[in-house]
Amino acid sequence: MTDQTEPGPHGIAATRTLAMPADTNPNGDIFGGWLMAQMDVAGSLIARERAGGRVATVAVDAMAFHLPVRVGDVVSCHGLVQREGTTSLSVHVEAWVQRHLSGHEQMVTEGTFVYVAIDGNGAKRKLPPVSGMGPL
């Protein structure tokens, strides 16, 4: 059941998890750092697929926390590659919740994560050509 005022998630559904009591701040809301970590995992999965291998997070360009996440909410992260360079790419990630009691879906947070493709030694490497790649 998606909020009628919001168009719904953009991009690939990358992760889904449950917000638990251990992840709360003193006010009972989920820590922003926990949510940011979930979003980074989702973004890195999308970046890894595009890069055809290992990636490392090098920056978070923007982050906006719109609404709190509550214990019992199901958190889904969706992402879309926004920009590509020679060795790096930016992934815009949206975090959506399905509210525990109502089932109502809302976007709660969004951010842009920057990843660099790396080789087995941790050195930067070029992104592979797009041709021949499956859908992201």
Side-chain angles (χ1 to χ4, degrees):
M1 162 173 25
T2 302
D3 182 354
Q4 298 304 313
T5 62
E6 297 183 76
H10 297 96
I12 299 162
T15 63
R16 185 175 158 108
T17 192
L18 183 64
M20 300 294 287
D23 305 312
T24 60
N25 63 28
N27 297 322
D29 297 322
I30 298 300
F31 276 113
W34 178 88
L35 185 56
M36 188 173 177
Q38 301 303 312
M39 294 171 71
D40 187 23
V41 168
S44 70
L45 290 171
I46 293 164
R48 182 178 75 172
E49 184 175 331
R50 168 59 191 98
R54 266 178 91 183
V55 295
T57 309
V58 294
V60 180
D61 278 348
M63 199 74 181
F65 294 90
H66 302 296
L67 295 167
V69 176
R70 299 181 187 102
V71 170
D73 287 347
V74 175
V75 179
S76 300
C77 295
H78 304 256
L80 189 62
V81 175
Q82 273 191 325
R83 183 194 60 75
E84 292 187 20
T86 304
T87 61
S88 65
L89 58 153
S90 297
V91 180
H92 185 76
V93 180
E94 296 177 353
W96 286 70
V97 295
Q98 181 179 29
R99 296 294 182 190
H100 172 59
L101 298 175
S102 68
H104 182 74
E105 293 182 351
Q106 296 176 293
M107 183 174 61
V108 292
T109 307
E110 59 186 318
T112 302
F113 294 76
V114 181
Y115 303 92
V116 65
I118 57 174
D119 64 19
N121 296 318
K124 288 182 184 181
R125 64 176 173 82
K126 289 185 177 182
L127 293 172
V130 176
S131 62
M133 297 282 303
L136 294 179

